[in-house]
Amino acid sequence: SSGSTAVSAVTVTVAGMPSNVTLVPERTTISIGEGTRLTPTFTGGTAVITNTLDGTRINPVSGVPVTVMPSENATYILTVTNTAGLATTAAATITVIPLPEILNFYCDPGTITRGSSTDLVPTFKNGTASISNGVGAVQNGVRVPVSPTLTTPYTLTVTNATGAFVQKSILINVVDPPTGISLVAIPPIITIGNSTRLVGNFASGTAQVDNGVGTVMNGVPYLVTPGVTTTYTMTVNNPAGASATTGTVVTVVPPPAITSFISNPPTPPP
């Protein structure tokens, strides 16, 4: 009717923007096969974490860490959306590095004589390396000379940027030099056609005597029958290849001979 008024009411809800939106990684760099935790914080909306590498999604709770294990470098986006559809984001990038590897680790040579040296040869990748027993930091493929005085193990450790490490050990054998050796003939003088015994004495290693005698054992006599005065030389080698020699002379003399036999005075005639 004339003069009447119609009134209607509309309620407008004002949603606040999402705030305090952060995504903090426990570690920004990990090794292949490792995981890390992402801690999301947010207010004023619902959240989702998206892996931009493969599109996987996680619905987090503010302040509660979630574990991720990317196989390669990946960025994670935290998106917080309010009831009006407005969103705020935060991001965290995780770098994935390879595990350290030891390709080879050896010594050249593996057995040395005390007082000599050998080379340690490390080959590795995906990390920095050090060798134990006072060697310290080493470079890939670079030989490192060492001179242990006793049989000694050496350990190569290769560590990547996350602290993951791998190890390999080798043993360098240290042996004594061939010292204190002797070779004697018993007896040293013989009559032609007779024999004598050669006796070698040595503390370690293997020994050879020339002039057809061959390998000899420590303290064991070997029979020889030279036809003329002969020098015998014994060579002793240790496992590292160091050698020492000694010798002895067997003197050969002719047998006694009767050159004449007469009576004096001559026998008288009958």
Side-chain angles (χ1 to χ4, degrees), residues 33-240:
E34 293 182 331
T36 188
R37 298 193 303 173
L38 305 175
T39 300
T41 58
F42 55 90
T43 58
T46 57
V48 62
I49 297 174
T50 304
N51 180 350
T52 59
L53 186 66
D54 57 17
T56 56
R57 296 159 67 91
I58 301 170
N59 297 113
V61 175
S62 180
V64 178
V66 296
T67 299
V68 294
M69 190 180 293
S71 59
E72 55 186 292
N73 296 346
T75 298
Y76 293 85
I77 304 294
L78 170 64
T79 303
V80 182
T81 306
N82 69 6
T83 55
L86 297 176
T88 302
T89 62
T93 297
I94 306 301
T95 301
V96 181
I97 63 174
L99 290 168
E101 291 185 53
I102 293 176
L103 305 178
N104 201 1
F105 181 43
Y106 65 95
C107 48
D108 181 28
T111 299
I112 62 171
T113 300
R114 183 172 288 108
S116 300
S117 65
T118 184
D119 286 342
L120 301 174
V121 187
T123 54
F124 57 91
K125 64 179 182 179
N126 305 331
T128 58
S130 65
I131 296 176
S132 63
N133 279 314
V135 177
V138 294
Q139 300 298 313
N140 176 47
V142 178
R143 290 173 172 260
V144 181
V146 293
S147 302
T149 58
L150 299 171
T151 295
T152 303
Y154 289 87
T155 299
L156 171 67
T157 301
V158 182
T159 307
N160 72 3
T162 71
F165 66 91
V166 63
Q167 293 180 315
K168 183 178 180 180
S169 296
I170 58 175
L171 189 69
I172 296 177
N173 294 303
V174 180
V175 296
D176 291 323
T179 58
I181 67 173
S182 65
L183 181 66
V184 296
I186 306 173
I189 301 174
I190 60 172
T191 300
I192 190 169
N194 290 342
S195 299
T196 185
R197 289 174 171 81
L198 298 177
V199 181
N201 292 285
F202 49 96
S204 61
T206 58
Q208 297 273 335
V209 176
D210 62 359
N211 286 312
V213 178
T215 301
V216 297
M217 306 297 290
N218 177 49
V220 176
Y222 291 83
L223 198 67
V224 293
T225 310
V228 295
T229 296
T230 302
T231 299
Y232 291 91
T233 300
M234 181 175 73
T235 302
V236 180
N237 294 282
N238 73 3

